[in-house]
Amino acid sequence: MDANGTRYHLLLGRTDWAACSDARNVPLSADWDAGIVGESRSGLAFDSARNELTLSPQVFLFTGTSSDKGLAPEARRGAARDRYGNWYWIAAGGSEIRVQSAGSGATTRFWVPGDGLEPPSAPRLGDFQPRDEPPPPAAWLLSGLTVTEDHYLIAGVLDPAGLLVWDLHRGGPPQQMVWPRQVDFVPFDMAPAPGGGAWILDRAHRRYWSLDRRLNVVPCDQIERGLGPEQADDFQPRDGGPIRRATPRVFPTGITLNAASPVDAFDPIAIEALPDGTVLILDRHPDRNQPFSRLYRYRFGRQIGAALWIDAMRDLVEEDKRLGFGLIAHDLAFVPEKAGAEGEDRLYIAAANGNQAFAFHVGLDGDNLELEPRDTYLPMRLFGGKGLVAADGKVYYDFDDSWIPLVAQPRRRFESEATLFTPLAAPSSEGGLPSEGTVRPAFDGREPDCVWHRLMLDGCIPPETEVQVWSRAANAEPDLQVAEWQLEPRPYLRGDGSELPFVPKLAGPGDGTWELLFQQARGRFLQLQLRLSSNGRSTPRLRALRAYYPRFSYLDHYLPAVYRDESLPASFLDRFLANVEGFYTSIEDKIAAVQILFDVSSSPPETLDWLASWLAVALDPVWDERRRRLFIRHAMDFFQYRGTMRGVRMALRLALDACSSQAIFDDDTGGRSRPDGIRIVERYRTRRTPGVLAGDPTDQTGPRLVSLAGRWLPAQGRDALDQRYADFLRAPDQLAGPGSAFPIIAPSDATVQAKWEQFARNTLLFVPSFAAAETQAWQAFLAARYVDIGALNAAHGTSLTSFSMVALPGDMPTSGAPLKDWNEWTLAATTTEHRLWQDFLTRRYGRISALNDAYGRHWAGFASVSPPDQLPRDGPPLVDWYQFESVVLAMRRTAHRFTVLLPAPKTDAALDAAEHQRRLDLAQRVVDLEKPAHTIFDVKFYWAVFRTGEARLGQDTLIDRGSRAPQLMRPMVLGQGYLAATYLAPGHPQNVADRQILGRDRLGG
């Protein structure tokens, strides 16, 4: 309803358009659902991908020349492609196999007689041969070729009848499989079977053979024999119930080579495998009365369903070419739904004229095969005739000595004209209104003599196409069938887009909202007739139809009655003012619907930036529309948690998640409900426990077992710590070191230092670092002051060789240069830890006299307090040092710091260095904007999978292929991999894992 109370009837979507009828008064639903083709078609189709009504599409026919001779079935000697993109085919003459390399693209010889296998020159051992008959001439005639899923190349041999099999993984000469002479075998075409093996078509004898994945012949009718009851397994229930006897197992009794499946076809020329284990047989059937080939579907020796002619394509051919159209097939290829890009099972058939291929959608109706033709134009100019080959979801054909894919060309054709009638219910047998639930009723204006206002058509009417509209109206629906049709004006394209408020304007030639003003449509019920016409190369596309009623008349509402005295001038004036009304009503509708702009769910995309400006927010230009609406909807939640862990996580997920959703703002668990999501680990939580316990699996220190009984505390005294350290050094498995006192500065020897750190972690639960830092600061101070070690020795009365040998003085110097240097250094407090140590003592003791009494010193003030250079004596000095190292420094070094952990994607992009860097840079920018100003952070990636020693089962476990995700380790690629992050992969064929390779694998070993 618009601002003036005018309503409209709507046709939108397939269901609404299907309720209309065609020129034969047949509902479109009957045509579309039943697949009516040929002369009974309505001439209309519905494009489900674009949700539009169009003229029926047609397939374009390539016009050949008089010199085209067509292709003979014998031209199809056999061709196939392996998993690595190499092409193989039998060369002209039938005695050579050629290959086109995927790497170089060059065509070379793959095999000729003599390459590891000599041509037959004498009878085989065991064959009977007349004494006076000369041996047969040497010859290898090949016919039929394919590559199985297990990477075997199979080629058929006519004499001696059999097969040649190449192991493409292992390489080397072929293995020969020979059929017995009493079994007729003439291979013609081959197709790889799903799961391994192959299907082999014998055109001459109209039958086909099946090979399993081990290339053994599978009989057409396997008889299964069951084991005896005494050999069946018995199952005894634990609760003492009745014994259940297992179903007897069965096994095939054995096969013979004469086990082919017969084919009831006139001239079978091609075979193709279907995913369900059945095969398609293409019958050429050159019959003058039926210029079409046909398809058979078989499961071994049993035909499934009826034979199917491929004449359905005739109904899609251009109308002027249908009469003489025929489709004798040369070859076929099948592309399953999961492999192709079309989203359906498709069958491609090459015509025998070699100029064009045709596409069909393959379906099943019970056991019967169904083919739905597609209007795709697939030219094949200069097709050599070797065949169609399906690989990697595409279909290829040969062009000279190369193979190119079938590519659809944009030469669409459509019906030239079709008529559409809006719904009209048929009258009941009593002559009244139709019964409910039968047919959709006509458009109802809800009042007698309703003046129908405007018609709106959303769609595209390209140049050289047209939509003509007729209307008829009546106060009783049965009277519509006898009412006279009135031709309405030609629709025009609205310059300002749709009349609906804030609907985006469409761009494109002829694309938008088309409008017309009804001229004489007056009555309660209305029916419309739409005639769609085109030049055959394009079509009108209708998405929606809106018929407005009743007309809001400016003449009736705003002008005196004198303007309505004369009916003819009044009608003209009413329609003239309706044009002005349409302009102002659109403006009034936008004013009345202005609330749409303030709701993020309904606001047009171009107004989202304006809506976000109300919150003083600038939206990221790289965000899609969905992400923008999500952020604006939850902007208050985002600002509420800004600067917190939850707020930082919200911002990161909004920027990085591939599929942003409401869960970003609903998660109030701090991320604990998503163990594979973004993690934020505050560093203070790792001062005593490994980072992995706080959720950081990248921490190199894992959980360790520490005995509380073995822990040292200041109350035990300094001597106890020294004694335990001396015992640790004297242990048989430890290194002995000089002295037994525990130093608080790491020893200079690297080996002893490692043992010292191990003892400190196990006994103190931390590694002392304060004294070492202060010593380094004292050494740096003296080096900057004296520059030369000789000057220092002269001033301090020492004989040191370098500044690295300078140690902190145990007591404050009494006089001279040492005292002056000490006072200046302590007053300067050159390190943060030094100032922190003085502040710690100040807060604890308050007065310098209390500190001097506790430490037995004579410091003039807290600013002159020196840090300890060795383990302090028992009492307050030892307690203060222990608490300062274990608590104050540990907290200071981890406070206001956090780590952001991003999950590495479990896709091939996991090793994409450029993508990793992009995500890392984006995360750093986001966190820098959202974190508290005084904090420091870093961003790292982690694997959201179980890794031994770095994660807890249940927190970081993700079930995947094998014990580790394959993305964690990839084969080394020169210039792309990193040491310790990749591995040296074995070369071909050592890296083949889907089957056994001769020369590599040993059975039973």
Side-chain angles (χ1 to χ4, degrees):
M1 179 187 298
D2 62 18
N4 294 323
T6 303
R7 303 174 181 271
Y8 61 81
H9 285 282
L10 174 68
L11 294 180
L12 176 65
R14 188 181 191 278
T15 302
D16 289 349
W17 289 110
C20 302
S21 56
D22 59 10
R24 300 167 293 110
N25 201 26
V26 175
L28 296 181
S29 58
D31 186 8
W32 296 344
D33 296 339
I36 301 176
V37 295
E39 297 179 357
S40 63
R41 291 187 53 140
S42 63
L44 296 166
F46 191 81
D47 189 344
S48 299
R50 302 177 59 171
N51 206 29
E52 295 173 337
L53 178 77
T54 68
L55 291 170
S56 295
Q58 297 175 341
V59 65
F60 177 79
L61 287 184
F62 184 89
T63 302
T65 63
S66 57
S67 60
D68 291 342
K69 299 179 180 180
L71 300 172
E74 292 74 15
R76 286 184 34 245
R77 295 176 295 274
R81 195 184 85 157
D82 67 15
R83 64 177 63 179
Y84 302 109
N86 303 305
W87 287 94
Y88 307 86
W89 66 90
I90 300 174
S95 60
E96 178 185 353
I97 296 179
R98 300 186 65 80
V99 59
Q100 184 184 45
S101 173
S104 64
T107 300
T108 58
R109 184 187 71 188
F110 177 75
W111 182 86
V112 293
D115 291 348
L117 190 64
E118 296 296 333
S121 58
R124 291 171 297 160
L125 185 64
D127 289 344
F128 292 95
Q129 186 74 17
R131 296 178 56 185
D132 55 351
E133 184 174 328
W140 283 102
L141 292 179
L142 307 178
S143 178
L145 181 146
T146 191
V147 176
T148 70
E149 292 186 2
D150 288 332
H151 213 49
Y152 290 104
L153 172 63
I154 304 176
V157 182
L158 298 180
D159 187 19
L163 302 173
L164 295 180
V165 180
W166 288 263
D167 187 339
L168 296 180
H169 280 316
R170 180 179 65 91
Q175 301 294 319
Q176 186 177 13
M177 298 174 57
V178 182
W179 258 238
R181 291 195 179 274
Q182 62 271 22
V183 178
D184 294 327
F185 179 66
V186 182
F188 180 76
D189 189 34
M190 299 184 185
W199 304 103
I200 304 174
L201 177 65
D202 185 341
R203 179 190 179 195
H205 301 96
R206 293 188 295 178
R207 59 189 179 187
Y208 72 96
W209 299 77
S210 173
L211 301 182
D212 63 15
R213 67 188 309 265
R214 292 180 175 83
L215 305 184
N216 297 320
V217 176
V218 180
C220 61
D221 294 310
Q222 288 203 33
I223 302 175
E224 294 183 329
R225 178 179 299 170
L227 298 177
E230 67 281 355
Q231 296 172 295
D233 296 329
D234 294 338
F235 293 89
Q236 179 67 44
R238 297 178 58 184
D239 55 3
I243 296 176
R244 284 190 299 111
R245 185 169 298 279
T247 303
R249 292 176 293 174
V250 297
F251 68 99
T253 59
I255 62 174
T256 63
L257 288 178
N258 191 12
S261 302
V263 175
D264 186 18
F266 181 82
D267 184 15
I269 61 170
I271 188 169
E272 187 70 7
L274 294 181
D276 62 352
T278 60
V279 296
L280 289 179
I281 305 293
L282 177 63
D283 185 7
R284 181 179 174 84
H285 200 274
D287 187 350
R288 294 181 180 179
N289 298 324
Q290 183 61 272
F292 292 93
S293 297
R294 56 183 173 180
L295 290 171
Y296 292 84
R297 180 167 172 247
Y298 275 87
R299 186 183 297 277
F300 292 104
R302 182 171 63 91
Q303 180 179 340
I304 302 178
L308 180 66
W309 296 96
I310 58 174
D311 57 350
M313 185 59 67
R314 177 169 50 190
D315 302 315
L316 281 187
V317 174
E318 298 172 85
E319 189 172 358
D320 57 344
K321 299 180 180 180
R322 288 179 186 172
L323 184 60
F325 175 75
L327 182 53
I328 301 299
H330 179 72
D331 197 7
L332 80 167
F334 175 76
V335 178
E337 176 183 358
K338 62 180 181 180
E342 291 78 11
E344 62 181 13
D345 293 333
R346 278 208 174 186
L347 186 68
Y348 295 84
I349 296 179
N353 58 22
N355 291 327
Q356 186 173 355
F358 298 89
F360 296 84
H361 166 61
V362 182
L364 290 177
D365 182 12
D367 287 339
N368 293 319
L369 202 65
E370 287 187 339
L371 293 182
E372 297 180 13
R374 295 292 181 255
D375 61 329
T376 308
Y377 173 52
L378 300 168
M380 300 175 63
R381 191 60 177 162
L382 301 180
F383 174 36
K386 297 183 182 69
L388 290 183
V389 180
D392 293 338
K394 298 179 180 179
V395 176
Y396 297 81
Y397 68 96
D398 65 289
F399 176 82
D400 195 17
D401 268 355
S402 62
W403 293 81
I404 58 177
L406 282 176
V407 178
Q409 300 296 324
R411 296 190 183 181
R412 306 197 66 182
R413 293 295 184 266
F414 299 90
E415 292 279 353
S416 59
E417 185 178 276
T419 302
L420 165 75
F421 295 90
T422 58
L424 175 63
S428 63
S429 58
E430 290 78 10
L433 292 177
S435 58
E436 294 186 9
T438 55
V439 182
R440 187 169 176 174
F443 294 158
D444 188 355
R446 301 188 180 183
E447 60 183 29
D449 294 329
C450 173
V451 178
W452 292 84
H453 183 27
R454 293 181 294 174
L455 179 67
M456 300 290 181
L457 294 173
D458 289 340
C460 179
I461 305 179
E464 300 187 32
T465 65
E466 186 180 12
V467 175
Q468 293 179 291
V469 181
W470 285 264
S471 67
R472 59 182 180 182
N475 286 326
E477 189 169 3
D479 295 341
L480 276 178
Q481 298 190 21
V482 296
E484 182 179 356
W485 288 103
Q486 302 287 337
L487 179 63
E488 299 293 348
R490 182 177 180 179
Y492 74 95
L493 182 63
R494 291 174 57 92
D496 55 351
S498 175
E499 85 287 1
L500 299 176
F502 306 114
V503 173
K505 182 180 178 181
L506 301 177
D511 203 352
T513 299
W514 295 75
E515 177 183 8
L516 67 82
L517 184 72
F518 288 118
Q519 302 296 302
Q520 302 294 332
R522 180 184 294 269
R524 175 176 175 178
F525 298 97
L526 175 73
Q527 187 183 21
L528 299 176
Q529 175 186 350
L530 278 69
R531 181 178 298 169
L532 283 67
S533 57
S534 75
N535 57 2
R537 296 185 296 274
S538 56
T539 175
R541 296 180 174 274
L542 304 182
R543 286 186 289 274
L545 178 150
R546 293 183 294 279
Y548 279 86
Y549 70 95
R551 176 176 296 163
F552 182 82
S553 175
Y554 278 11
L555 177 65
D556 293 340
H557 287 81
Y558 299 136
L559 294 182
V562 67
Y563 288 94
R564 301 189 293 273
D565 287 347
E566 297 291 337
S567 59
L568 187 61
S571 175
F572 169 77
L573 183 59
D574 187 33
R575 288 181 279 115
F576 177 80
L577 293 177
N579 296 317
V580 180
E581 181 271 339
F583 172 78
Y584 286 111
T585 299
S586 297
I587 299 176
E588 294 169 1
D589 285 345
K590 292 182 179 180
I591 297 174
V594 71
Q595 71 276 4
I596 293 177
L597 300 179
F598 308 132
D599 187 347
V600 69
S601 301
S602 58
S603 180
E606 61 270 14
T607 64
L608 292 178
D609 288 302
W610 168 79
L611 191 60
S613 67
W614 285 40
L615 302 170
V617 172
L619 298 178
D620 193 330
V622 302
W623 284 357
D624 56 12
E625 179 184 340
R626 185 173 182 273
R627 204 178 301 261
R628 289 169 168 239
R629 295 186 186 276
L630 182 67
F631 174 77
I632 297 175
R633 183 180 297 111
H634 295 280
M636 297 308 297
D637 297 330
F638 179 80
F639 290 130
Q640 176 185 357
Y641 292 102
R642 190 173 188 182
T644 65
M645 291 178 59
R646 182 176 177 182
V648 172
R649 191 178 292 109
M650 284 181 183
L652 286 171
R653 291 187 59 187
L654 193 64
L656 298 176
D657 278 9
C659 183
S660 54
S661 65
Q662 182 82 18
I664 294 177
F665 301 93
D666 291 344
D667 183 13
D668 58 354
T669 63
R672 293 185 298 273
S673 62
R674 300 182 70 248
D676 60 335
I678 296 173
R679 304 179 185 179
I680 299 178
V681 178
E682 296 175 282
R683 296 285 296 277
Y684 80 90
R685 299 177 59 192
T686 65
R687 66 188 188 277
R688 285 196 172 187
T689 58
V692 67
L693 299 181
D696 183 3
T698 65
D699 190 358
Q700 299 300 319
T701 59
R704 64 184 187 276
L705 182 64
V706 177
S707 174
L708 294 179
R711 180 182 178 184
W712 177 86
L713 295 174
Q716 300 174 13
R718 171 178 173 173
D719 293 340
L721 180 61
D722 291 342
Q723 183 62 43
R724 293 173 62 175
Y725 182 62
D727 296 340
F728 176 80
L729 295 179
R730 287 194 298 268
D733 57 342
Q734 302 295 341
L735 294 176
S740 59
F742 177 76
I744 61 175
I745 299 178
S748 58
D749 184 85
T751 305
V752 178
Q753 179 182 351
K755 299 303 179 182
W756 173 78
E757 291 180 356
Q758 178 184 356
F759 174 80
R761 286 194 181 95
N762 294 336
T763 307
L764 302 178
L765 303 187
F766 65 88
V767 177
S769 60
F770 177 47
E774 292 303 302
T775 300
Q776 292 175 1
W778 171 245
Q779 293 170 351
F781 173 79
L782 294 179
R785 187 178 184 89
Y786 290 96
V787 180
D788 183 64
I789 190 63
L792 175 65
N793 289 332
H796 284 241
T798 58
S799 58
L800 304 175
T801 59
S802 65
F803 286 102
S804 61
M805 299 179 63
V806 177
L808 283 173
D811 293 317
M812 184 176 64
T814 57
S815 61
L819 178 61
K820 182 180 179 181
D821 293 341
W822 177 261
N823 289 333
E824 291 185 7
W825 181 66
T826 55
L827 290 175
T830 56
T831 65
T832 303
E833 288 82 1
H834 196 152
R835 291 192 297 270
L836 193 64
W837 168 252
Q838 295 172 347
D839 184 67
F840 170 73
L841 297 177
T842 302
R843 293 174 180 273
R844 169 159 289 192
Y845 291 96
R847 293 179 294 113
I848 189 62
S849 58
L851 177 64
N852 287 332
D853 292 343
Y855 278 66
R857 297 294 185 93
H858 301 282
W859 286 307
F862 286 103
S864 61
V865 174
S866 61
D869 63 338
Q870 59 184 352
L871 194 64
R873 60 185 177 84
D874 293 344
L878 186 61
V879 173
D880 292 344
W881 170 83
Y882 179 82
Q883 293 183 354
F884 182 77
E885 286 269 15
S886 62
V887 178
V888 178
L889 280 185
M891 180 63 74
R892 175 72 182 184
R893 292 168 180 169
T894 58
H896 312 304
R897 290 170 170 80
F898 62 93
T899 299
V900 177
L901 299 169
L902 305 178
K906 282 186 81 289
T907 62
D908 290 337
L911 296 182
D912 188 347
E915 176 63 16
H916 266 205
Q917 190 61 41
R918 186 195 69 82
R919 292 176 66 87
L920 189 67
D921 294 342
L922 178 58
Q924 289 176 338
R925 293 197 301 270
V926 170
V927 177
D928 194 51
L929 289 173
E930 301 301 326
K931 74 176 183 68
H934 64 283
T935 57
I936 302 173
F937 71 96
D938 61 340
V939 181
K940 297 190 294 185
F941 286 98
Y942 78 98
W943 291 100
V945 295
F946 178 71
R947 297 181 70 180
T948 304
E950 297 185 10
R952 295 176 296 170
L953 187 65
Q955 288 290 333
D956 297 87
T957 303
L958 185 66
I959 303 301
D960 204 276
R961 292 172 291 178
S963 59
R964 301 176 66 192
Q967 289 83 356
L968 288 174
M969 296 291 287
R970 287 296 182 89
M972 170 67 77
V973 177
L974 186 62
Q976 299 181 14
Y978 298 91
L979 293 178
T982 56
Y983 65 94
L984 293 177
H988 186 82
Q990 303 299 324
N991 59 348
V992 177
D994 56 352
R995 68 173 176 85
Q996 292 182 337
I997 305 298
L998 295 179
R1000 183 195 69 176
D1001 303 324
R1002 292 186 304 167
L1003 297 177

